[in-house]
Amino acid sequence: MKTLLLNRYSEISNLLLLSILSMLFLAVRMKITHDFYMLFLVWNLFLALLPYFLSLWFTSSIIPHMSIKKARLLSVPVLGLWLLVLPNAPYIITDLIHIKHASGSWMIYDSILISCFAITGCWAGFKSLQQMIQGLISIQLIHKNYIIKTAEYGVLFLCALGIYLGRDLRWNSWDIIQHPDQLFIDTFAIFIHPLSHQTAWLQILPMSIFLMVFYRLFVNYETKSSL
């Protein structure tokens, strides 16, 4: 654990700083207004951090201590679980809809508050995706550049799909266990009858593009800062 913290000190400290700032803004709002409505952001942030710590555990504590063959076998269930929880990271972006409940004097503050949580979630999600891709490269599951790019953008598209399923259809990650039949029916209907689900695509496609563009900017920044 000590070695892990030292090796990942920079990224963990960045994530901790963003999380503390988000919580501080929330605490100030609750202290002044005595209104606990925005407290749901704490739960959403917790869910947003899950994929980051899952990918951190897998790439830093598991892969280095396993043979490539064993790591590949373990990567299947880990990837499945990771894909289920990853949409929770950028999902907080959609919490901006709650600004409509803010009074005039708090509207700007609440916009900054939710944006801070959303930035934290996106940072954690992008870092998690970057870690997982690097982990898959290290066990030689993916290696060619076009496969890496396809995997990255494919995952981000699935995130956008997951965000729509969560925000509009109110499905949760664990519903794949509790209600798998209806979840698959609702998901496949979006692809089988696209014209009947134009509203869905008007949310999925822009969110996909948004995530892809900002993920690429994130990767470019990370690459330059590491030089």
Side-chain angles (χ1 to χ4, degrees):
M1 179 61 70
K2 182 179 179 180
T3 303
L4 174 61
L5 292 175
L6 289 174
N7 292 339
R8 301 298 183 98
Y9 173 77
S10 178
E11 66 184 60
I12 293 176
S13 61
N14 288 338
L15 184 57
L16 184 62
L17 176 62
L18 287 170
S19 300
I20 291 174
L21 183 62
S22 300
M23 299 296 290
L24 179 62
F25 283 155
L26 179 60
V28 170
R29 187 190 192 281
M30 291 192 298
K31 177 66 175 178
I32 296 175
T33 65
H34 303 288
D35 180 2
F36 298 91
Y37 173 69
M38 291 289 184
L39 201 57
F40 68 87
L41 289 168
V42 177
W43 173 248
N44 285 354
L45 181 61
F46 169 75
L47 294 176
L49 297 179
L50 287 180
Y52 170 79
F53 287 108
L54 180 59
S55 62
L56 181 64
W57 166 77
F58 183 61
T59 58
S60 300
S61 300
I62 300 301
I63 289 180
H65 301 95
M66 275 190 170
S67 65
I68 291 180
K69 184 177 180 180
K70 289 182 178 180
R72 285 178 175 178
L73 289 174
L74 184 60
S75 70
V76 176
V78 171
L79 276 173
L81 178 60
W82 177 74
L83 284 171
L84 282 177
V85 298
L86 184 62
N88 291 316
Y91 177 86
I92 308 182
I93 295 171
T94 65
D95 284 329
L96 286 165
I97 66 170
H98 295 287
I99 294 173
K100 63 185 179 184
H101 299 297
S103 62
S105 59
W106 281 95
M107 187 167 291
I108 293 178
Y109 187 93
D110 284 354
S111 299
I112 296 172
L113 168 64
I114 298 174
S115 296
C116 194
F117 275 88
I119 290 170
T120 306
C122 285
W123 191 96
F126 290 159
K127 194 65 187 179
S128 181
L129 175 55
Q130 188 183 46
Q131 287 176 348
M132 193 60 78
I133 290 295
Q134 291 171 349
L136 296 179
I137 293 173
S138 69
I139 59 176
Q140 301 172 15
L141 274 180
I142 56 175
H143 50 89
K144 293 184 179 179
N145 191 55
Y146 75 92
I147 296 178
I148 295 172
K149 292 292 191 297
T150 301
E152 290 174 333
Y153 294 144
V155 167
L156 292 171
F157 172 79
L158 291 177
C159 281
L161 174 62
I163 291 171
Y164 170 75
L165 293 173
R167 173 56 67 188
D168 283 66
L169 303 188
R170 306 311 297 168
W171 289 110
N172 295 303
S173 300
W174 49 86
D175 283 318
I176 197 169
I177 298 174
Q178 295 181 325
H179 309 286
D181 296 343
Q182 190 58 49
L183 176 57
F184 281 120
I185 289 172
D186 287 349
T187 303
F188 285 122
I190 298 171
F191 295 91
I192 296 174
H193 305 291
L195 295 180
S196 301
H197 294 83
Q198 294 182 29
T199 302
W201 288 109
L202 284 173
Q203 296 180 54
I204 295 169
L205 291 179
M207 181 62 77
S208 298
I209 295 170
F210 175 86
L211 293 176
M212 291 174 187
V213 169
F214 276 87
Y215 175 72
R216 188 50 48 197
L217 293 174
F218 173 83
V219 171
N220 290 343
Y221 172 79
E222 288 279 297
T223 303
K224 290 181 180 178
S225 63
S226 62
L227 295 177

